[in-house]
Amino acid sequence: MTASENNKRIAKNTLLLYIRMLFSMAVTLYTSRVVLNTLGVDDYGIYNVVGGVVAMFGFLNTAMSTSTQRYLTFELGKGDFLQLQKVFSVSLSIHFLIAIAILILGETVGLWFLYHKMVIPETRMEAARWVYQFSVLSTMVAIVSVPYNAAIIAHEKMSAFAYISVLEVVLKLLIVYLLMVVSFDKLKLYAALIFVIQLTIRFVYGSYCSRHFQETKFRFIPDKALFKEILGFAGWNLWGNIAGIAFTQGLNILLNMFFGPVVNAARGIAVQVQGAINQFSMNFQTALNPQITKSYATKDYTYMHSLIYRSSKFTFFLLLFFSLPVFIKTNTILTLWLKIVPEHTVVFLRLILCTTIIDAVANPIMVSATATGRVKVYQSAVGGLLLAILPLSYTILKWGEGSPESVFIVHLCICVLAFIIRLWIVRPLIQLSIRSYFRYVILRCALVIALAIPLPILIANALSDTFVHFTTVCAICVVTVFLSSYFIGLNSSERKFVNSKVSTVWAKMKN
């Protein structure tokens, strides 16, 4: 397949994922508001932190998810169907074993932690147990779904995500309706219904894969060598994913231990907004990541480097475009959206957005490291550094000198350092020039920031906090980011590419 055909596929898949995202995001933002107001701040915080206990055991699954995605995409790039079939069946077997391991850990260590370490009002402990058990079941279902989702991404059939997401968001809207009309304990009902949705979507994805991809028909293949190879690759990813769980769910639990469920509610809201904004970059990268792995499989380093530059840079522009208005007018946006804004949410959200942008720009570098299969040094160094976030945060809070915001400041500082280390380690693995990366990505992103941000901040400080002034500031943010990204962030060939795509879409709309 030529570079032009690959670009067309990336563009088509990106468009489908954005249509999916806009529909899903609109419903998610609406349902989050209703769920928060229906459950209340305390119950919303309980749901977030109790589910987080189960999610902590998900480090096993996250490591295998990365491994499965890499091996399926790599074999597709090579065109070896028999090996592709083996990879899928062996991966599914491993995920079944992981699901059983999660069940055992959840019903032993997890329950002990829930009863003895969590800060939950006694009157809501029974509801918390319901949330916990359904979270365990939901996690097990999600684990078994991973190889099927990985197959869809590897085949770049992003339309499946778009169509199935319509069903998922409709079911979420139904949950909101039931929460408002049913008199049963709202928190218990919400946990049970989320599990039902997870189970339904799992069967839909499985059915789609069985009909469209021959390799996803499970066969027991006792290939011990492949089993060990995939687990070995996942083993090194495991270290990095333990760190990932530590600075997400670990920090969430840490906040609960020191400050209680109200602060967990604030973090939960901030993460909801972060997730909505992050989808803009995730969709673009989901469409492009398989091409990075496939280009490595064919040893086309020039094309691979161009994909990395483009992915990092475009990701930054997309996130800045959507996050700058949120960053400047955080309190206004949260108040309009939620009505009830838990304390600390504004600062939490601003810090999390900064971290999100750094990690998203670094993601193509992570994908490149995974594509090579040589992740021992990468995961050891980066995982070890990220793992330090949790003990550093605990130390600051334990000394009594830290506010809830301090844990996110620690996270942000470590992420900046991790970005530099990622780039340095991956450089020799894929023959990447740091000087070129700095010139094509870092420098252009820095110039866009310098040009796009000052004017909106000055105007926001000069205007009063009315709805008209709020929309004015948001519009100025959009214009300054767009103009600086287009004229400074993009090179001439990228501008021509964007112009041609816009012209094509405009012509189709006119016809």
Side-chain angles (χ1 to χ4, degrees), residues 74-136:
F74 192 87
E75 296 305 334
L76 268 175
K78 291 173 62 178
D80 189 339
F81 175 77
L82 291 177
Q83 188 66 13
L84 180 66
Q85 191 175 56
K86 286 184 178 180
V87 167
F88 179 85
S89 294
V90 170
S91 297
L92 189 58
S93 299
I94 295 173
H95 277 85
F96 271 116
L97 294 175
I98 292 174
I100 294 172
I102 294 295
L103 177 63
I104 295 171
L105 285 172
E107 297 302 324
T108 53
V109 178
L111 277 179
W112 172 84
F113 195 88
L114 175 68
Y115 289 136
H116 298 286
K117 296 297 179 181
M118 303 298 294
V119 179
I120 297 171
E122 187 62 34
T123 55
R124 301 305 292 151
M125 183 55 77
E126 182 186 355
R129 284 195 290 266
W130 279 58
V131 171
Y132 183 84
Q133 294 297 341
F134 278 116
S135 294
V136 171

Side-chain angles (χ1 to χ4, degrees), residues 1-206:
M1 188 175 290
T2 65
S4 175
E5 290 173 327
N6 285 332
N7 287 336
K8 288 180 180 178
R9 173 176 284 190
I10 291 170
K12 177 184 176 182
N13 287 334
T14 303
L15 179 61
L16 286 169
L17 289 170
Y18 274 118
I19 294 172
R20 162 190 181 256
M21 178 211 63
L22 290 172
F23 185 54
S24 176
M25 186 173 66
V27 174
T28 299
L29 292 176
Y30 168 72
T31 55
S32 297
R33 169 181 170 171
V34 175
V35 169
L36 174 63
N37 285 275
T38 303
L39 296 182
V41 172
D42 281 337
D43 274 6
Y44 189 83
I46 290 171
Y47 182 82
N48 268 273
V49 73
V50 171
V53 176
V54 181
M56 286 195 70
F57 298 126
F59 66 86
L60 295 168
N61 180 53
T62 309
M64 264 307 301
S65 176
T66 303
S67 183
T68 300
Q69 184 68 66
R70 185 264 175 189
Y71 275 89
L72 286 175
T73 306
F74 192 87
E75 296 305 334
L76 268 175
K78 291 173 62 178
D80 189 339
F81 175 77
L82 291 177
Q83 188 66 13
L84 180 66
Q85 191 175 56
K86 286 184 178 180
V87 167
F88 179 85
S89 294
V90 170
S91 297
L92 189 58
S93 299
I94 295 173
H95 277 85
F96 271 116
L97 294 175
I98 292 174
I100 294 172
I102 294 295
L103 177 63
I104 295 171
L105 285 172
E107 297 302 324
T108 53
V109 178
L111 277 179
W112 172 84
F113 195 88
L114 175 68
Y115 289 136
H116 298 286
K117 296 297 179 181
M118 303 298 294
V119 179
I120 297 171
E122 187 62 34
T123 55
R124 301 305 292 151
M125 183 55 77
E126 182 186 355
R129 284 195 290 266
W130 279 58
V131 171
Y132 183 84
Q133 294 297 341
F134 278 116
S135 294
V136 171
L137 294 174
S138 296
T139 301
M140 292 176 67
V141 171
I143 288 169
V144 178
S145 300
V146 165
Y148 295 97
N149 294 355
I152 293 174
I153 294 173
H155 282 277
E156 301 181 66
K157 299 295 185 182
M158 305 309 172
S159 58
F161 285 119
Y163 298 139
I164 297 173
S165 290
V166 173
L167 171 63
E168 187 172 359
V169 295
V170 168
L171 292 174
K172 287 182 178 178
L173 283 173
L174 181 60
I175 283 182
V176 170
Y177 173 75
L178 291 174
L179 283 177
M180 291 188 293
V181 299
V182 176
S183 59
F184 188 71
D185 187 301
K186 309 290 185 184
L187 184 54
K188 295 178 182 178
L189 180 64
Y190 184 64
L193 292 176
I194 288 294
F195 166 69
V196 171
I197 288 181
Q198 185 81 56
L199 191 62
T200 302
I201 297 302
R202 153 70 186 89
F203 282 115
V204 172
Y205 274 123

